[in-house]
Structures are given as structure tokens and as C-alpha cells.
Amino acid sequence: MLAVARWQKSLLPFNRALAMNLKIIFVLCLLFCLSAFGQSETLLAQDYLNVTRLGAQQRLQAGAELPALQQLAVTGLIARIASGSYTSRTITAGSSKITVSNGSGVAGNPTIDVAESSLVIANLSGNLPVSKLNGGTGADSTTYWRGDGTWATPAGGGGGGGVTGPGTSTDTAIARYSGTGGTVLQNSGVLIDASNNISGVGTLASGAHTLTSASANALVVGPNGSTNPVLQVDDSTASQVTGIKITGNVAGSAADIAVISTQTNEGLTLSTKGTGSILFRTGNSTRCTVSSLAFSCTPTTSSAAASVRFGFTGAADTSMTAATESPSVYFNLGQVRQHATGAITLQRDFRITPSTHSAVGASTITDAASLYIDSAPLAGTNMTITNPRALWVAAGLTQLDGGVRLGAAGAGLSIREGSNAAMGTATLSAGTVTVSNTLVTSSSRIFLTPQTLGTVSVPSACGISGRSAGISFTILCSQATDTSVIAWQIVEPAP
């Protein structure tokens, strides 16, 4: 027993040393793990271990760091924030341009990447250093970065001094090249303001110029813009397909204004503002005026022979509607024209004032007329005109103040007879006859002429023995047995 006890006592220092070594190995392993998270070995050696030798014994004493780590119960990355104080951390993205996967490191290594979809111009700022582009090789003030990854000199510029311009320029003016070298700019008088309005444009040179617009002010020309312009082109009509085409011509030939349309037949409208007039001019003189109240023309003087001032040539119509009248000229004066209250001495709806003809020397015009009609209508192929008339007054009194002249031999006067006519015949019975006629008045002049003798051989003397205005008049002849046919004609004295 004593021998065993002595053997056990002899092993006690060895056992104590072995236990101390095992503790040291554990701490060193712990220090190695902590160093994997960024802690320096020097700091660990100082702050995590206190090794004390007490006589023949050595003692390993833990500092304040190990209990702090032991008390940290969360997962993830560990950060030392103070002496004896730790906390967990997670890697996160500072903006949408960076993505982080497994930021705590629990499920594996954290992964950090660039979010390319978020790298847009609006998210970028600052300048990229020139050295980051091909190492800056070839970069200077005369070069630019090309799409093929090289620094290059612009065509026509750089190297030889670059593009140059005048010492001063006009604000908002468009720059233009001087010469053909492509490196010298000069000032211009064409300006573009902040509203994209262009001014200072002179003549537009050759070539076609097309403006595409659906605006009411597609083209406006005037000193005040769209306020009372000289010219305004309005293209605002929906589905617009009509327009005006102006065609120039050679000297001596008229310029042409024509209508453009997708239709075969299209009209042209001239419109005034309010009750304004349309003026037609030759030279600088107005020859015709069309207003809301009148249409008047005043031609200029002429020295040419046989000059017709107002001419109208009718068309040679064909296949006109059967059994239907077709006038060539029609003046419709059937309107109602109301006058202010008051007596009017004379009213003429259609008036012709004759010309005064003179001559340089003694001359004669044999026959002259203010109104002349060549003849009555003429019958052509397959046509018969029963009663052709050169002038026909359908109703109303016709007054001829200047007299009536039948200038051609064979011309005569024709009066239609019939009931209540101005002329007719009556047959005597026992020398008398009463004629019913509503035309007769108390002042009517009734002319009598024997046409055929009846039972008498010598014409009787005949007269008007009585009359009843508006009813009848009585013819009485001198021979009581007379049965002659008497012609009568009623004429009224002019007022």
C-alpha cells in the first residue's frame, strides 16, 4: 500500500501539468476561432489569457472576454464593440444598386453583387476617372472615348487646332461653317428663341419644302405673328382633303389658282369677314365689287374697236329635259322690297341708261338703239315654233313714252281678239248691236269700221250710242235695216 501511495504521489505533478496543458490547448483553439473573425493575436494574448505561475503550480485564468462571448446567444457575424462587449452583425446593401445574399453568414458565405438593372443614368453621378478607361492611354483635351474602347480624335477637329469661331456671337444664333475646312464657325442672323421660334430667315433656296401640320396656324405670315396676319393656312379641319394650288406661268400668261381635292368635282369659296366686299381689280383699279348689298362693275376706258363691255355667250346645250322650259338668262326680281313710308314718284326695277356717242370729226350713226333684239327665237332641226316673239310682256301695262315706229315694210300691229278683248267684231241687227266687254270705261276711245255689208249696199254711218263702264257698249248705224259686220277697237287715253 505504501508503495502504491508513493507511486500515485509521484504522478501528481505530471497529472497537474497534463491538465494545465489541456486547458492551454483549449484556449488556443478558442483564440484561433476568434482570430478567424478579425481579432488580432496580440489582442487575444493580452485580453483573453492570464497565465500565472504560483510556486510549482501554474494557473490559467480567463479574462472578461470569454464570458461575454459565452453570453452572446444570437447567430451570425460577431463584432467586438467594446472591452468585454460583443454583438451580432449582418452585411446589408446601402442602396438598390447592390445586392447581398446570406448577409448573416449563417447559411453559408455572404455574397455581394452589383444590381445591373438599377444602374441607370439617373442613379449615376460624379465623373469616372480617365485612368479607368483603357488606363487613360491616348486621353487628352482633343480626344473622346469611342464605343470600340479607345480614345480618338474627332474627324475634322483636334490635332490641327480644333474648331474655332468668332470672338463674339449673337445670342441664340445658329452657327454656320466658314469655308470648306470643317473647323471654322461663323456667326449668323438666324435665331431660335426659347420657344423654338425661328427668326431672321431670308430666302428659302431651291427644292421642295413641305410643312406637315393639323393646326389652325399651320403657316402664319405677318408682323404680329398669328394676330391679324397677312397669310394664314388653317389645316385643322378633320379629314381635310381639299386645298389651293397656285401655279406660276410664263410672261403674258395668267397665273393659275386651282382647287386640290380627292373628289372629281370640287368648288372654291371666297369669303369676306362680316359684310365686307370682294373686289376684282385690273392693274391698281377696282373693276368689279361684290358686296352683301350689290354687284357692280366699272370697266376701264378703251380705244379698241368693237369692244364689248359685258358679254355673255350661251352654251350649245344638248339633250335637255323634254317638255321643260330652259331659259338661258333669268333675272328673278320677284323679291319683296319694303320701302319706308312716303310717296315715290318713279320706281324702275330694271333700268337702262343709253350711251352718248361722239366722234373726233363729223360722223353719222344711221340707226342706234339702247336695247336691240336681233329677232324672235328661231326654229331648228325637228322643231316648230307656232308663235315666235322677239319681245313678250306677259302682263301689265306697257308704256312707250317715246312713241312706236314700225320701221320695216310689212311690219304691223297684231292684237289678240276674244272675250273682253281690246279689239273685235260685232254683227248689226236692225242697224244696232250691244257688245259685252269689261274693258270699256267711261273715257274709252272706241273705233268702228265696217268689215262686210249686210242688207245695205252703202256703208252706214256708225257710232257709239251708249256704254256701261265695265259691262258693255252699244253700236248704232244710220240705216235701220243694216246687218253689216262692224269691227271695233278700244283704246284708252294715257294718264
Side-chain angles (χ1 to χ4, degrees):
M1 294 294 294
L2 182 58
V4 173
R6 287 179 178 177
W7 177 78
Q8 291 178 341
K9 186 175 181 182
S10 65
L11 292 178
L12 182 60
F14 173 77
N15 291 336
R16 289 177 176 175
L18 178 61
M20 178 61 69
N21 290 334
L22 291 176
K23 290 181 180 180
I24 292 174
I25 291 172
F26 169 76
V27 171
L28 290 176
C29 290
L30 179 62
L31 292 176
F32 175 76
C33 292
L34 291 175
S35 67
F37 293 102
Q39 306 295 330
S40 79
E41 295 180 0
T42 303
L43 181 63
L44 290 172
Q46 294 176 354
D47 295 339
Y48 288 80
L49 296 176
N50 284 320
V51 181
T52 307
R53 181 177 182 85
L54 300 174
Q57 300 180 353
Q58 292 182 343
R59 183 173 62 185
L60 179 66
Q61 181 179 2
E65 306 302 327
L66 292 178
L69 287 172
Q70 185 178 6
Q71 293 176 4
L72 188 64
V74 298
T75 61
L77 304 179
I78 298 175
R80 183 175 184 268
I81 58 177
S83 176
S85 178
Y86 294 86
T87 187
S88 64
R89 289 284 190 260
T90 300
I91 299 175
T92 59
S95 70
S96 60
K97 296 184 284 295
I98 301 295
T99 61
V100 176
S101 299
N102 192 27
S104 64
V106 174
N109 293 328
T111 301
I112 302 174
D113 203 351
V114 176
E116 295 183 1
S117 61
S118 298
L119 291 178
V120 295
I121 298 301
N123 294 331
L124 302 179
S125 62
N127 296 320
L128 183 66
V130 172
S131 60
K132 299 298 184 180
L133 300 176
N134 196 28
T137 303
D140 59 33
S141 61
T142 66
T143 59
Y144 70 100
W145 180 250
R146 290 196 328 192
D148 59 358
T150 60
W151 292 96
T153 301
V163 178
T164 61
T168 61
S169 64
T170 304
D171 185 32
T172 72
I174 299 176
R176 57 196 182 100
Y177 282 109
S178 176
T180 59
T183 61
V184 180
L185 297 179
Q186 59 182 324
N187 195 19
S188 76
V190 180
L191 311 179
I192 303 179
D193 64 16
S195 299
N196 296 322
N197 297 313
I198 301 177
S199 61
V201 178
T203 302
L204 293 178
S206 61
H209 305 282
T210 301
L211 298 177
T212 301
S213 174
S215 170
N217 295 318
L219 176 63
V220 177
V221 179
N224 300 314
S226 60
T227 303
N228 299 324
V230 175
L231 173 66
Q232 178 180 359
V233 177
D234 184 349
D235 281 342
S236 62
T237 301
S239 303
Q240 175 264 327
V241 294
T242 62
I244 293 295
K245 177 182 179 182
I246 301 176
T247 304
N249 216 327
V250 298
S253 299
D256 181 65
I257 300 178
V259 176
I260 302 171
S261 176
T262 57
Q263 297 293 323
T264 302
N265 303 305
E266 197 71 67
L268 176 64
T269 301
L270 298 178
S271 300
T272 66
K273 185 174 182 179
T275 58
S277 300
I278 298 177
L279 308 180
F280 294 91
R281 293 186 173 186
T282 58
N284 294 322
S285 301
T286 300
R287 298 308 174 193
C288 286
T289 301
V290 180
S291 70
S292 59
L293 299 177
F295 180 95
S296 61
C297 290
T298 306
T300 187
T301 58
S302 173
S303 59
S307 178
V308 177
R309 293 307 195 173
F310 186 88
F312 175 81
T313 301
D317 302 320
T318 59
S319 301
M320 292 187 293
T321 305
T324 303
E325 182 186 24
S326 181
S328 290
V329 180
Y330 177 31
F331 288 92
N332 186 353
L333 304 181
Q335 74 278 13
V336 176
R337 305 174 66 194
Q338 186 182 60
H339 299 266
T341 302
I344 298 176
T345 303
L346 178 62
Q347 170 63 43
R348 294 162 288 188
D349 285 345
F350 198 109
R351 178 182 177 183
I352 298 176
T353 299
S355 301
T356 298
H357 297 271
S358 64
V360 177
S363 304
T364 300
I365 297 176
T366 303
D367 292 304
S370 295
L371 177 64
Y372 181 83
I373 300 175
D374 281 341
S375 70
L378 305 175
T381 304
N382 298 323
M383 181 60 69
T384 299
I385 300 178
T386 305
N387 298 302
R389 298 174 178 87
L391 179 63
W392 184 349
V393 179
L397 180 66
T398 300
Q399 179 169 330
L400 301 174
D401 291 345
V404 176
R405 176 184 178 186
L406 303 178
L413 181 64
S414 297
I415 300 176
R416 186 181 295 278
E417 296 182 348
S419 178
N420 297 315
M423 187 174 69
T425 60
T427 301
L428 298 173
S429 175
T432 186
V433 64
T434 298
V435 179
S436 296
N437 195 309
T438 58
L439 290 182
V440 69
T441 67
S442 59
S443 58
S444 296
R445 295 346 182 213
I446 304 175
F447 298 91
L448 305 175
T449 303
Q451 297 297 297
T452 61
L453 298 177
T455 57
V456 297
S457 58
V458 177
S460 301
C462 299
I464 303 300
S465 61
R467 72 182 68 194
S468 178
I471 298 176
S472 64
F473 60 91
T474 300
I475 301 174
L476 179 61
C477 293
S478 60
Q479 301 181 66
T481 59
D482 197 345
T483 58
S484 300
V485 175
I486 305 298
W488 54 267
Q489 183 179 8
I490 300 175
V491 179
E492 296 294 332

